[in-house]
Amino acid sequence: MTDTQTSSLPAAETGSKGAWGALLLAGAFEVGYALSVGGSQAFTVLTWSVSAIVFFLLTLYFLSVALKSIDVGIGYAVWAGIGSIGAAVLGAVLLDQPLTLAQSVWLAVIIAGVVWLKLADSPKLK
């Protein structure tokens, strides 16, 4: 590939760090999607419904970009972890949804798992 072709690619397609960045974006958009679906009240509120559709398309795009460089099992696990943790925490903060101590402990376990999955993808460990 020439320099011109490489520079026209999205950042996530040019290396592992970019792929992990795209995966983080996909996770953030997944949180937006989950919260928007909740706010849409079964897609009966137009603004929340449109927001959910936009976040859904963004999360799928960035997840697909990330999975060009990251194994699907690892990428999907990290994406799902970010989405579930983000939705739980922001749901508690923004939507007054309960978050118990036991739930917080298990969310911390998910966070630890996501961090270890990222560390396991390090070239130094391969």
Side-chain angles (χ1 to χ4, degrees), residues 22-106:
L23 188 58
L24 289 174
L25 276 174
F29 289 132
E30 175 65 12
V31 173
Y33 168 69
L35 295 175
S36 296
V37 167
S40 76
Q41 298 177 16
F43 290 95
T44 60
V45 178
L46 180 63
T47 54
W48 282 106
S49 299
V50 170
S51 174
I53 292 166
V54 169
F55 279 123
F56 178 72
L57 293 173
L58 287 169
T59 194
L60 286 182
Y61 172 75
F62 282 98
L63 180 61
S64 68
V65 169
L67 294 181
K68 287 182 177 183
S69 300
I70 299 171
D71 292 338
V72 70
I74 302 302
Y76 185 78
V78 170
W79 173 74
I82 292 169
S84 59
I85 292 162
V89 171
L90 289 178
V93 171
L94 300 175
L95 305 175
D96 294 325
Q97 296 175 345
L99 186 61
T100 67
L101 179 61
Q103 291 168 333
S104 298
V105 167
W106 290 112

